[in-house]
Structures are given as C-alpha cells and as structure tokens.
Amino acid sequence: MSDTYTLYNQTVMDHFLNPRNMGDLDNADGVGEVGAAACGDIMKISLRVEQGRIQDARFKTFGCGSAIASSSMATELIKGRTVEEALSFTNQEVVNALGGLPPVKIHCSVLAEEAIKAALEDYLKRHPAAAKPPGGP
Amino acid sequence: MRVYLDHLATTPVLPEVFEAMKPYFTEAFGNPSSLHQHGLRVRDALAEARRRIAALINAESPEEIFFTSCGTEAANLAVKGVAYANQRRGNHLVVSATEHPSVLSSVEFLEKQGFTCTRVGVDAEGWVDPEAVRAALTDQTILVAVHHANHDIGTIQSINEIGRITGERGIAFFVDATTSGGWLPIDVQAMGANLLSLSPHRFYGPKGAGVLYRNRRARLVSVLHGGVQENGRRAGTENVPAIVGSGVAAEAARVELPQRIAHTGRLQRRLWTALRERIPYIQLNGPEPGPRRISTSLNLSTEFIEGEGQLLLCDLNGIAVASGSSCVSKSLKISHVLAAIGLDHALAQGNLILSLGKDNTDTEVDYVVETFAGIVAKLRGMSPMWDEFQRGIIDSVINPTGRGRSFAEHAAAVSGKGAG
C-alpha cells in the first residue's frame, strides 16, 4: 500500500477494508438503528449485555467508508464497558481512535455514538431493572 | 489490473499531443502578442489550433474560436458575457436544471445582480423538452443555455430543435459541449448555436485550455479585463502549449470520431448488459445505450449500498470511477442532476459513474464486471438495508416486491427526519 494514495488515513482504511464486529447478534439484548439526516447513512448496532457489562457488539452500516470505519471502531471501543460507562460514550473517542476524520466526515462518528446510545436505550427499556441506580431498592 | 473509467473527469493527452506541445515550452516560448520572430512564430501556431478547433465543430471561421483557461471559464464568459452585453435589451435567462455548475453558478451570480432566470426541468431520463424551453421564453429573454450531453447521466439533448426556437426569436443560444466534444459529432451551424464551449482535456488534449465558439449573431463582452488578446474577448497571455495541444487533440478527434463512438458504444453495451445480468437490484440512470445517450457514460444506482464505499473498493482494485452520492460531495448533497430527474434518495446514495475511453478493452470491461459484482456482495453483506430487505422490512425501489415500507420511510423513521 506504500505507493497507494488513500482518501482516509491508514487506520480508517483498515477498519473500512477489514471491519471488526460486522454483523448481527442472535438474541441481542439491545439493538439501535439510526439514520443521519445530513447524508442519508444508516447504522445499526446490536449489543449483548451480561451482568451490566457489554460482552459483545456488532454493527451493520449503509454508508461511506468513514461511516463503516466509525461503526467498526465504535463497537471495538464499547466492548467490555459497563452500561453506565457506555452511556457517556462520545463520538470524539471514535475520532481519536481512528486517528482523525476529515471535517466533512465527523458526522459519521456522531452517527456511531447515536447508534450505540439507541442500542443502550433499547437494552434499558427491555431490562428496566438495570436502569435503576445502584444501591436503590 | 488497472482500469481507468473516469474519462468524464479527464483523459490522458495523446502522444502526438504531448510531442506537439513540447517545443512551445522551450525554443518556441514566445508571447504571441510580441512583434518579433518569437511572437510571430507562436502566432501562427495559435492560428493553426483555431483552424483545427473550428473544423471539429464546423464553425464558419476560425475567428469565431476563443481560447480560455478551461471549460468553466468558457461557460462563465458565455453566460456572463452575453448577459452583460444585452442587459439593455432584457434581463431574463433560460437554462436547463441539469446544466454543469459552471453555468448554474454563473446564473446564480447574475441573479444577485438583478437578472432573472427560468430553470427548465427535465424528464426522468434527463431530457429537456424543446417546447418547455419555448414556453419559458419572454420578451426579456436574452440567453438560452442547454448542454449538448449531460456530464452526469449522459443524456443527449435535442439541440437542433432548441436552436431553431432561439433562432426564430433572435435569442442567443449557448451550448455547453464539454461532455460531448470529441465524442459526438458537433455542427454549430446545424445546431443553431451562437456560443458553444469545449474542454480539450476531456478528449485527449491538455488541461489548461478551454474553448468558446461565438458567432457574430451573439453580442459578448469580456469578463476578464486587461490586454486585447483573443480579439479583445479574453485578456491574458495565451497558454500556448495547451492551445497547440488542444488543436492537435481536436484534429485527432475529428478524424477518429466514428471509431471512438463505435468502440465506446460497444463497450458500453457490453458493460451494462453484463452488470445487469450479474447484479440484482441495479439500474441505469439516463437513457439506455443508443442514440439518446452518449457512448462513453454509464450512471448506475446499486440498491442497498452507498456510492463512496463502492468507489473506494473499486479504486483499491485498480478501477477508477466517480460517484454522485451525497457521501462523495463536500456539501453532503446528492448530484443536482440526480435530484432533477427525481431519483429516489436511496438510489442516488448508491450512485456510481463509469465513463469509457478509446483505449478501454473487452478484457478490462470483463474484469470490472467480475470485480464490481464482488464489491456489491461485500458491501451488501455489511448493509442493514440489504438484510432488512431480505426480511421484508423495507422494499426495493428498482424491483418492488410489495413487502415492507420504502427506504425513504424507513430512513425517516430511524433518523427522525427525512433523508436528504
């Protein structure tokens, strides 16, 4: 690839060409699907949660190279976090982990954050007990 | 394998074009405005280039050929130059909705200065009805601008009919032929064109030169002010090597035109026929290959996947293509041509533009079909839309099954706003 020019940096290209965690989860505990009004991209994230911790995450994305890379990276970052930690996940973590995105593509990382939040909301709706603050009745 | 399928963006210069240009960088470096030997020598070279361009488009006289820096400058000169020259006569312009941005943006600029414009819509294949142009004319109309072939979807316009209408009314008619120049026969007299632009780098000439044809029936003022180069219509020292190269490219195009049309037309059919057989839920935008479509272009929409990903994977497999998807544009908007033909947003998102040239081969076309089929399968495997289509949650636009809601409804539901 040394004599190849690329539209995105190496990390983004790697996650686009070799996406991590691509697919769906059978019997997922939470699923979020969101669309970007700006460009029309659509992202879907499925989560498996055990004892309040995200054990597995999968994505499917209809979108450009940076949208696919953003969802790939987001699922990598979110795995192993507790639901509470994951609720404060931000798109900036995705941008940083990818080594930056072109300004016009930052919204792709926002879409990844929104997809994760939507999947977490779905999980909390299905598991109301998990939404109770720790130490509560 | 490396396959270049972006000839609508630009082409390589012909070897004879490059050879012809070389002396004008070194020993024949003179400024054509100079009165000594150096200047007089290159003046002759410019005159020869003008004759060759005039011959390509059947202009009455080489004096009707003006050189600019590019096709965009030629369009700016035509639109603004005619508007300013005729502003005492009227202030109304008529253009098609699918003109190149160099025309549409020039018109927007003029609108801020008090000119008005009617943008004539197109049908689902991008065709401008000459009668719709006639209906748009007012007693204030001073310019009609319609492109010869569309830069995006390849539609060939009924230029001769429009030229008859503008001719009857004595209104200046500008034809943007930057997509068709070197690829379709052009006869400015039969077209009834008063102005016509060419972009030589799209037909194996160099970048850095554009052409504006203008006959005496269209008044034109300069928009670039300075010296009296190009008969006072375009100030600035001429880009002599590029102009010489453009002349050689025009001569080659004139001689080779029938073979170029036949060759690219055959490959166009081969490519589209194979893609349609190989890939489900794919459609061609613009007219079918044939007399209503330029032989070089295929504008495709592949459903359930997005265009930039297709473009990137094509590129990494050696195939150079373009896309009109919103993800490819800096403005995040789909191509204005795809919007004008009323293409569903989902299909516009999956857009890819393949443009053939004289040196593409059957082997290359077959490689593109095989490779692209694999790319579509890979991206559909990643797409939630493909999965949801399989499960009957959303329906196909290209081949509706009657199950599930539309992509647009689905996108609106998950984003909370309408897509696009």
Side-chain angles (χ1 to χ4, degrees), chain B residues 16-17 19-24 42 44-46 48-49 52 67 206 209 239-250:
Chain B
E16 62 262 41
V17 167
E19 284 308 314
M21 290 172 69
K22 279 181 187 170
Y24 295 92
V42 297
D44 280 354
L46 290 192
E48 177 60 17
R52 287 170 158 172
F67 290 110
N239 183 351
V240 176
I243 291 170
V244 168
S246 299
V248 177

Side-chain angles (χ1 to χ4, degrees), chain B residues 126-200:
Chain B
W127 181 69
V128 180
D129 184 347
E131 289 308 314
V133 173
R134 188 199 297 276
L137 301 177
T138 73
D139 58 2
Q140 290 293 303
T141 307
I142 50 176
L143 175 71
V144 171
V146 178
H147 57 282
H148 186 199
N150 190 266
H151 60 279
D152 220 336
I153 56 172
T155 318
I156 298 173
Q157 303 299 347
S158 303
I159 293 300
N160 297 13
E161 282 72 25
I162 298 170
R164 267 197 288 280
I165 293 165
T166 55
E168 285 163 17
R169 299 281 293 262
I171 297 167
F173 180 31
F174 166 53
V175 178
D176 171 0
T178 50
T179 294
S180 58
W183 299 103
L184 279 177
I186 294 177
D187 180 336
V188 286
Q189 299 182 55
M191 284 174 160
N194 304 111
L195 307 109
L196 179 138
S197 60
L198 295 171
S199 184

Side-chain angles (χ1 to χ4, degrees), chain B residues 76-401:
Chain B
N76 271 257
L77 175 55
V79 174
K80 295 175 191 168
V82 169
Y84 290 140
N86 292 282
Q87 56 188 328
R88 285 204 188 84
R89 245 187 81 196
N91 70 342
H92 181 239
L93 315 172
V94 174
V95 304
S96 87
T98 55
E99 293 304 303
H100 187 267
S102 56
V103 172
L104 294 177
S105 300
S106 293
V107 165
E108 282 166 27
F109 173 79
L110 289 170
E111 283 176 318
K112 288 183 191 133
Q113 302 184 16
F115 289 91
T116 62
C117 179
T118 302
R119 291 163 183 80
V120 177
V122 297
D123 70 9
E125 291 187 337
W127 181 69
V128 180
D129 184 347
E131 289 308 314
V133 173
R134 188 199 297 276
L137 301 177
T138 73
D139 58 2
Q140 290 293 303
T141 307
I142 50 176
L143 175 71
V144 171
V146 178
H147 57 282
H148 186 199
N150 190 266
H151 60 279
D152 220 336
I153 56 172
T155 318
I156 298 173
Q157 303 299 347
S158 303
I159 293 300
N160 297 13
E161 282 72 25
I162 298 170
R164 267 197 288 280
I165 293 165
T166 55
E168 285 163 17
R169 299 281 293 262
I171 297 167
F173 180 31
F174 166 53
V175 178
D176 171 0
T178 50
T179 294
S180 58
W183 299 103
L184 279 177
I186 294 177
D187 180 336
V188 286
Q189 299 182 55
M191 284 174 160
N194 304 111
L195 307 109
L196 179 138
S197 60
L198 295 171
S199 184
H201 78 87
R202 303 248 215 125
F203 55 90
Y204 305 100
K207 295 161 195 66
V211 174
L212 182 65
Y213 157 86
R214 185 217 55 142
N215 68 23
R216 289 175 198 288
R217 288 180 291 281
R219 292 178 59 209
L220 183 77
V221 297
S222 178
V223 295
L224 198 59
H225 302 103
V228 285
Q229 290 90 354
E230 297 301 295
N231 212 8
R233 290 310 189 290
R234 199 274 181 182
T237 300
E238 296 86 345
N239 183 351
V240 176
I243 291 170
V244 168
S246 299
V248 177
E251 178 65 13
R254 191 179 64 78
V255 172
E256 294 174 16
L257 189 60
Q259 294 96 292
R260 287 188 190 175
I261 293 171
H263 178 70
T264 52
R266 194 178 60 74
L267 292 183
Q268 182 190 45
R269 285 170 198 275
R270 184 187 183 97
L271 183 52
W272 172 227
T273 304
L275 286 172
R276 185 167 45 184
E277 279 170 10
R278 196 62 203 276
I279 298 166
Y281 307 103
I282 187 169
Q283 80 169 30
L284 182 66
N285 301 313
E288 285 288 313
R292 300 179 56 237
R293 185 184 191 100
I294 194 161
S295 60
T296 50
S297 106
L298 285 178
N299 183 304
L300 306 171
S301 283
T302 307
E303 213 170 354
F304 311 112
I305 55 175
E306 187 280 327
E308 194 216 72
Q310 299 175 45
L311 187 157
L312 286 174
L313 287 174
C314 281
D315 188 38
L316 291 168
N317 283 284
I319 303 167
V321 295
S323 169
S325 159
S326 62
C327 293
V328 174
S329 85
K330 293 185 179 102
S331 63
L332 294 179
K333 288 200 175 82
I334 60 166
S335 140
H336 72 282
V337 176
L338 299 182
I341 62 170
L343 193 67
D344 188 283
H345 193 274
L347 296 185
Q349 274 289 85
N351 180 245
L352 209 63
I353 305 167
L354 285 54
S355 48
L356 295 149
K358 70 180 187 66
D359 297 322
N360 288 126
T361 63
D362 286 6
T363 313
E364 289 179 347
V365 163
D366 297 346
Y367 170 74
V368 170
V369 173
E370 280 308 305
T371 308
F372 189 59
I375 288 169
V376 170
K378 175 173 173 142
L379 289 174
R380 280 183 177 162
M382 286 194 226
S383 168
M385 313 318 296
W386 177 244
D387 177 54
E388 283 159 9
F389 170 62
Q390 305 297 320
R391 292 192 286 130
I393 297 167
I394 63 161
D395 203 354
S396 162
V397 178
I398 294 174
N399 232 331
T401 60

Side-chain angles (χ1 to χ4, degrees), chain A residues 13-33:
Chain A
M13 288 306 287
D14 179 40
H15 276 262
F16 167 62
L17 290 171
N18 310 294
R20 286 39 155 198
N21 313 311
M22 198 279 291
D24 295 294
L25 283 172
D26 291 333
N27 306 316
D29 297 304
V31 178
E33 186 173 342

